[in-house]
Amino acid sequence: MKKIIYFLFIAFTAVVTTTSCKDMDDNYKEYLEDIPTYSPPVRNLTAVSPEAGTLILSWSIDDKSQRAKSIRILVKKTATDIQTYDIPELVMEYTVSGLDLQAYDFDVYTIDGFGNLSIPISRTFTPIPGRE
């Protein structure tokens, strides 16, 4: 008789444990289904210099969730001389002019509707034709 009660207790515990854990999975279900919860980064960042001191930056965005709403570009001349360009719409290219003839570091972010930045994509370009 004790064996039957012991067996029923273990079976009951197993049933309660497995059914209660299934409800816990709903707490993080969206992360398991590969649904991004962040603004996606830009891809394939390139630049072309049509004339000295000007760069046309271009990129692509793979955003199936349509979370990205705008673009931010940081242009770093030195560690302390940084210009920020906020573009209020989602564009695939941007022209930066008035640059000196030296190498610049560019960080390009996408921004979602809540103002959250994506991870930056960083590249170094020189605004001299033929030296992108």
Side-chain angles (χ1 to χ4, degrees):
M1 183 69 172
K2 285 185 178 183
K3 288 181 181 181
I4 294 174
I5 293 175
Y6 182 68
F7 177 74
L8 289 174
F9 176 73
I10 291 175
F12 177 74
T13 304
V15 168
V16 169
T17 304
T18 57
T19 58
S20 65
C21 289
K22 184 175 182 181
D23 295 335
M24 292 295 292
D25 290 344
D26 292 338
N27 291 334
Y28 52 86
K29 181 179 178 183
E30 68 182 84
Y31 301 106
L32 295 175
E33 294 179 353
D34 294 329
I35 298 172
T37 57
Y38 53 86
S39 188
V42 301
R43 304 258 186 242
N44 307 320
L45 177 60
T46 60
V48 175
S49 180
E51 60 185 36
T54 301
L55 281 171
I56 300 173
L57 301 171
S58 60
W59 56 83
S60 62
I61 299 174
D62 185 19
D63 186 13
K64 295 175 185 159
S65 65
Q66 298 181 348
R67 291 186 188 270
K69 303 296 182 196
S70 59
I71 300 288
R72 176 174 291 167
I73 300 172
L74 298 182
V75 180
K76 300 176 185 177
K77 182 175 182 178
T78 64
T80 56
D81 187 3
I82 301 172
Q83 292 181 334
T84 302
Y85 298 93
D86 285 322
I87 306 164
E89 57 191 357
L90 202 57
V91 296
M92 299 302 158
E93 78 174 27
Y94 188 77
T95 302
V96 181
S97 58
L99 301 172
D100 292 334
L101 303 180
Q102 70 173 53
Y104 285 84
D105 293 326
F106 292 86
D107 293 344
V108 180
Y109 301 84
T110 61
I111 305 172
D112 67 10
F114 300 104
N116 301 313
L117 298 174
S118 68
I119 59 170
I121 299 302
S122 302
R123 299 284 186 274
T124 301
F125 300 112
T126 305
I128 300 172
R131 294 187 69 192
E132 296 83 17

